[in-house]
Amino acid sequence: MCRSFSPSESSTTAPVPARSDGESSSASGGDGESSKRLAQHLSLLLGVVRSRRWHAFASIALANPSVYRLLSSTVPQHEEFGGRSLLHAVLQCDPPAELVAKMVGLAPDRRAALRCRDRSGRTPLHAAAAGEANPLIVKMLAGADPAACLAVDEDGRTPLHLASCGDASSSPDAPGDASAAPSSHEPQGQPSRALGAVRALLSESLEATLIEDADGTSPLEGAIVGDASFEIVNLLQKATMEALRRREASPGKNKRRRPTSDDAAAPAVRTAQRRRGAILG
């Protein structure tokens, strides 16, 4: 679950008007009204995110660090956000890279913000990879916390698993409207966002290619079964072979998980092809 702020932090960021003694008996009713208003404000904020009105979002959430801290501590408990942090929700809606950089910079604890988990055990880097965010964002998040490249969700999937499929719908908690899907179209002849995300993740961690999910599927196998582009499959195959070579050369590493010959990725390819054939019938 996402990190929660202490009551002392909340009280410094959201002053509550003082009540007289006569008002104390109605405190619970007042608190209920305050909670209702807060829920309405958060619903409106989610609408701004889903409609990608980023200038409006920045003026609401990012202009004041205290407001951002309050929102960050409140959003994960709001039903419409489904246990996601504000950063998770934004990353699923194709935000500008500079806006994400500012959100990370405003976080009181940047490491905690980058490792925050949603209800499916996914980090912000998972959200960026699954939502086909701008590869610059994936690169920025992975570079800020390379360990997040190896983080697995409740299905055992790393961000590389999700990016390798190139499927924005793979995020189980994606906001439930059409605007949550990436809106930008890559210019003809340019690498896809999925390919860019895979490259960005591999630049920070080749070890992620060797992690299998709960079904025993590696990112390479998932890319083949998921009908990813030739470029992604080829890139993953080369990265897997290099990761295996490094593992073999490093004393004390677990060498039993995969073969270590020069064509070590070939068995994975054949296995994935058999699985894909079985799925297609």
PDB file of all heavy atoms in Angstrom, residues 221-240:
ATOM      1  N   GLU A 221       9.467 -14.397 -23.339  1.00  0.00           N
ATOM      2  CA  GLU A 221       8.359 -15.305 -23.656  1.00  0.00           C
ATOM      3  C   GLU A 221       7.035 -14.552 -23.744  1.00  0.00           C
ATOM      4  O   GLU A 221       6.216 -14.797 -24.637  1.00  0.00           O
ATOM      5  CB  GLU A 221       8.284 -16.403 -22.597  1.00  0.00           C
ATOM      6  CG  GLU A 221       9.476 -17.351 -22.620  1.00  0.00           C
ATOM      7  CD  GLU A 221       9.549 -18.238 -21.401  1.00  0.00           C
ATOM      8  OE1 GLU A 221       8.899 -17.935 -20.382  1.00  0.00           O
ATOM      9  OE2 GLU A 221      10.279 -19.245 -21.458  1.00  0.00           O
ATOM     10  N   GLY A 222       6.839 -13.611 -22.814  1.00  0.00           N
ATOM     11  CA  GLY A 222       5.618 -12.824 -22.836  1.00  0.00           C
ATOM     12  C   GLY A 222       5.503 -11.980 -24.088  1.00  0.00           C
ATOM     13  O   GLY A 222       4.408 -11.809 -24.640  1.00  0.00           O
ATOM     14  N   ALA A 223       6.637 -11.446 -24.563  1.00  0.00           N
ATOM     15  CA  ALA A 223       6.614 -10.638 -25.781  1.00  0.00           C
ATOM     16  C   ALA A 223       6.222 -11.479 -26.990  1.00  0.00           C
ATOM     17  O   ALA A 223       5.458 -11.032 -27.856  1.00  0.00           O
ATOM     18  CB  ALA A 223       7.989  -9.999 -25.998  1.00  0.00           C
ATOM     19  N   ILE A 224       6.729 -12.710 -27.050  1.00  0.00           N
ATOM     20  CA  ILE A 224       6.411 -13.582 -28.188  1.00  0.00           C
ATOM     21  C   ILE A 224       4.951 -14.011 -28.145  1.00  0.00           C
ATOM     22  O   ILE A 224       4.225 -13.916 -29.140  1.00  0.00           O
ATOM     23  CB  ILE A 224       7.346 -14.804 -28.201  1.00  0.00           C
ATOM     24  CG1 ILE A 224       8.791 -14.353 -28.415  1.00  0.00           C
ATOM     25  CG2 ILE A 224       6.929 -15.794 -29.289  1.00  0.00           C
ATOM     26  CD1 ILE A 224       9.819 -15.447 -28.224  1.00  0.00           C
ATOM     27  N   VAL A 225       4.509 -14.464 -26.971  1.00  0.00           N
ATOM     28  CA  VAL A 225       3.116 -14.885 -26.829  1.00  0.00           C
ATOM     29  C   VAL A 225       2.172 -13.716 -27.082  1.00  0.00           C
ATOM     30  O   VAL A 225       1.104 -13.868 -27.668  1.00  0.00           O
ATOM     31  CB  VAL A 225       2.871 -15.493 -25.433  1.00  0.00           C
ATOM     32  CG1 VAL A 225       1.390 -15.750 -25.200  1.00  0.00           C
ATOM     33  CG2 VAL A 225       3.662 -16.780 -25.277  1.00  0.00           C
ATOM     34  N   GLY A 226       2.576 -12.520 -26.645  1.00  0.00           N
ATOM     35  CA  GLY A 226       1.740 -11.341 -26.806  1.00  0.00           C
ATOM     36  C   GLY A 226       1.846 -10.684 -28.167  1.00  0.00           C
ATOM     37  O   GLY A 226       1.293  -9.600 -28.369  1.00  0.00           O
ATOM     38  N   ASP A 227       2.581 -11.321 -29.095  1.00  0.00           N
ATOM     39  CA  ASP A 227       2.699 -10.809 -30.459  1.00  0.00           C
ATOM     40  C   ASP A 227       3.311  -9.410 -30.497  1.00  0.00           C
ATOM     41  O   ASP A 227       2.869  -8.533 -31.234  1.00  0.00           O
ATOM     42  CB  ASP A 227       1.325 -10.802 -31.144  1.00  0.00           C
ATOM     43  CG  ASP A 227       1.451 -10.785 -32.668  1.00  0.00           C
ATOM     44  OD1 ASP A 227       2.500 -11.212 -33.175  1.00  0.00           O
ATOM     45  OD2 ASP A 227       0.502 -10.327 -33.334  1.00  0.00           O
ATOM     46  N   ALA A 228       4.354  -9.207 -29.684  1.00  0.00           N
ATOM     47  CA  ALA A 228       5.085  -7.946 -29.716  1.00  0.00           C
ATOM     48  C   ALA A 228       5.839  -7.828 -31.038  1.00  0.00           C
ATOM     49  O   ALA A 228       5.999  -8.801 -31.781  1.00  0.00           O
ATOM     50  CB  ALA A 228       6.057  -7.878 -28.545  1.00  0.00           C
ATOM     51  N   SER A 229       6.321  -6.633 -31.322  1.00  0.00           N
ATOM     52  CA  SER A 229       7.019  -6.404 -32.582  1.00  0.00           C
ATOM     53  C   SER A 229       8.318  -7.196 -32.640  1.00  0.00           C
ATOM     54  O   SER A 229       8.881  -7.595 -31.616  1.00  0.00           O
ATOM     55  CB  SER A 229       7.332  -4.911 -32.739  1.00  0.00           C
ATOM     56  OG  SER A 229       8.307  -4.512 -31.791  1.00  0.00           O
ATOM     57  N   PHE A 230       8.793  -7.413 -33.869  1.00  0.00           N
ATOM     58  CA  PHE A 230      10.066  -8.105 -34.056  1.00  0.00           C
ATOM     59  C   PHE A 230      11.185  -7.370 -33.333  1.00  0.00           C
ATOM     60  O   PHE A 230      12.077  -7.994 -32.746  1.00  0.00           O
ATOM     61  CB  PHE A 230      10.394  -8.211 -35.551  1.00  0.00           C
ATOM     62  CG  PHE A 230      11.796  -8.675 -35.819  1.00  0.00           C
ATOM     63  CD1 PHE A 230      12.130 -10.026 -35.756  1.00  0.00           C
ATOM     64  CD2 PHE A 230      12.803  -7.760 -36.122  1.00  0.00           C
ATOM     65  CE1 PHE A 230      13.432 -10.449 -35.984  1.00  0.00           C
ATOM     66  CE2 PHE A 230      14.107  -8.174 -36.360  1.00  0.00           C
ATOM     67  CZ  PHE A 230      14.426  -9.534 -36.290  1.00  0.00           C
ATOM     68  N   GLU A 231      11.151  -6.037 -33.370  1.00  0.00           N
ATOM     69  CA  GLU A 231      12.214  -5.251 -32.733  1.00  0.00           C
ATOM     70  C   GLU A 231      12.269  -5.515 -31.229  1.00  0.00           C
ATOM     71  O   GLU A 231      13.359  -5.645 -30.652  1.00  0.00           O
ATOM     72  CB  GLU A 231      12.000  -3.759 -32.996  1.00  0.00           C
ATOM     73  CG  GLU A 231      12.249  -3.319 -34.427  1.00  0.00           C
ATOM     74  CD  GLU A 231      11.067  -3.602 -35.348  1.00  0.00           C
ATOM     75  OE1 GLU A 231      10.002  -4.039 -34.841  1.00  0.00           O
ATOM     76  OE2 GLU A 231      11.209  -3.397 -36.554  1.00  0.00           O
ATOM     77  N   ILE A 232      11.109  -5.595 -30.586  1.00  0.00           N
ATOM     78  CA  ILE A 232      11.086  -5.854 -29.147  1.00  0.00           C
ATOM     79  C   ILE A 232      11.581  -7.254 -28.846  1.00  0.00           C
ATOM     80  O   ILE A 232      12.398  -7.461 -27.937  1.00  0.00           O
ATOM     81  CB  ILE A 232       9.664  -5.640 -28.590  1.00  0.00           C
ATOM     82  CG1 ILE A 232       9.320  -4.149 -28.585  1.00  0.00           C
ATOM     83  CG2 ILE A 232       9.533  -6.228 -27.184  1.00  0.00           C
ATOM     84  CD1 ILE A 232       7.921  -3.833 -28.110  1.00  0.00           C
ATOM     85  N   VAL A 233      11.106  -8.246 -29.604  1.00  0.00           N
ATOM     86  CA  VAL A 233      11.534  -9.625 -29.376  1.00  0.00           C
ATOM     87  C   VAL A 233      13.041  -9.760 -29.592  1.00  0.00           C
ATOM     88  O   VAL A 233      13.751 -10.383 -28.787  1.00  0.00           O
ATOM     89  CB  VAL A 233      10.759 -10.589 -30.295  1.00  0.00           C
ATOM     90  CG1 VAL A 233      11.335 -12.006 -30.211  1.00  0.00           C
ATOM     91  CG2 VAL A 233       9.279 -10.604 -29.929  1.00  0.00           C
ATOM     92  N   ASN A 234      13.538  -9.170 -30.651  1.00  0.00           N
ATOM     93  CA  ASN A 234      14.964  -9.238 -30.957  1.00  0.00           C
ATOM     94  C   ASN A 234      15.795  -8.580 -29.861  1.00  0.00           C
ATOM     95  O   ASN A 234      16.824  -9.117 -29.419  1.00  0.00           O
ATOM     96  CB  ASN A 234      15.235  -8.571 -32.303  1.00  0.00           C
ATOM     97  CG  ASN A 234      16.663  -8.766 -32.770  1.00  0.00           C
ATOM     98  OD1 ASN A 234      17.211  -9.870 -32.749  1.00  0.00           O
ATOM     99  ND2 ASN A 234      17.300  -7.673 -33.203  1.00  0.00           N
ATOM    100  N   LEU A 235      15.345  -7.415 -29.397  1.00  0.00           N
ATOM    101  CA  LEU A 235      16.055  -6.698 -28.335  1.00  0.00           C
ATOM    102  C   LEU A 235      16.072  -7.512 -27.043  1.00  0.00           C
ATOM    103  O   LEU A 235      17.107  -7.636 -26.383  1.00  0.00           O
ATOM    104  CB  LEU A 235      15.388  -5.343 -28.104  1.00  0.00           C
ATOM    105  CG  LEU A 235      15.999  -4.436 -27.038  1.00  0.00           C
ATOM    106  CD1 LEU A 235      17.448  -4.098 -27.373  1.00  0.00           C
ATOM    107  CD2 LEU A 235      15.172  -3.160 -26.895  1.00  0.00           C
ATOM    108  N   LEU A 236      14.944  -8.111 -26.702  1.00  0.00           N
ATOM    109  CA  LEU A 236      14.865  -8.906 -25.484  1.00  0.00           C
ATOM    110  C   LEU A 236      15.708 -10.178 -25.578  1.00  0.00           C
ATOM    111  O   LEU A 236      16.317 -10.607 -24.592  1.00  0.00           O
ATOM    112  CB  LEU A 236      13.410  -9.277 -25.189  1.00  0.00           C
ATOM    113  CG  LEU A 236      12.526  -8.145 -24.663  1.00  0.00           C
ATOM    114  CD1 LEU A 236      11.070  -8.575 -24.650  1.00  0.00           C
ATOM    115  CD2 LEU A 236      12.966  -7.721 -23.263  1.00  0.00           C
ATOM    116  N   GLN A 237      15.744 -10.766 -26.749  1.00  0.00           N
ATOM    117  CA  GLN A 237      16.546 -11.973 -26.918  1.00  0.00           C
ATOM    118  C   GLN A 237      18.025 -11.659 -26.698  1.00  0.00           C
ATOM    119  O   GLN A 237      18.728 -12.372 -25.963  1.00  0.00           O
ATOM    120  CB  GLN A 237      16.335 -12.569 -28.304  1.00  0.00           C
ATOM    121  CG  GLN A 237      17.045 -13.907 -28.495  1.00  0.00           C
ATOM    122  CD  GLN A 237      16.588 -14.621 -29.748  1.00  0.00           C
ATOM    123  OE1 GLN A 237      15.859 -14.067 -30.560  1.00  0.00           O
ATOM    124  NE2 GLN A 237      17.020 -15.863 -29.917  1.00  0.00           N
ATOM    125  N   LYS A 238      18.506 -10.575 -27.285  1.00  0.00           N
ATOM    126  CA  LYS A 238      19.911 -10.185 -27.105  1.00  0.00           C
ATOM    127  C   LYS A 238      20.195  -9.824 -25.651  1.00  0.00           C
ATOM    128  O   LYS A 238      21.245 -10.190 -25.097  1.00  0.00           O
ATOM    129  CB  LYS A 238      20.237  -9.013 -28.022  1.00  0.00           C
ATOM    130  CG  LYS A 238      20.253  -9.367 -29.500  1.00  0.00           C
ATOM    131  CD  LYS A 238      20.553  -8.149 -30.359  1.00  0.00           C
ATOM    132  CE  LYS A 238      20.602  -8.517 -31.836  1.00  0.00           C
ATOM    133  NZ  LYS A 238      20.846  -7.331 -32.704  1.00  0.00           N
ATOM    134  N   ALA A 239      19.259  -9.092 -25.019  1.00  0.00           N
ATOM    135  CA  ALA A 239      19.457  -8.689 -23.631  1.00  0.00           C
ATOM    136  C   ALA A 239      19.466  -9.897 -22.702  1.00  0.00           C
ATOM    137  O   ALA A 239      20.243  -9.956 -21.744  1.00  0.00           O
ATOM    138  CB  ALA A 239      18.363  -7.703 -23.219  1.00  0.00           C
ATOM    139  N   THR A 240      18.594 -10.874 -22.974  1.00  0.00           N
ATOM    140  CA  THR A 240      18.553 -12.086 -22.161  1.00  0.00           C
ATOM    141  C   THR A 240      19.863 -12.854 -22.259  1.00  0.00           C
ATOM    142  O   THR A 240      20.413 -13.334 -21.254  1.00  0.00           O
ATOM    143  CB  THR A 240      17.376 -12.982 -22.599  1.00  0.00           C
ATOM    144  OG1 THR A 240      16.153 -12.262 -22.463  1.00  0.00           O
ATOM    145  CG2 THR A 240      17.319 -14.253 -21.762  1.00  0.00           C
TER     146      THR A 240
END
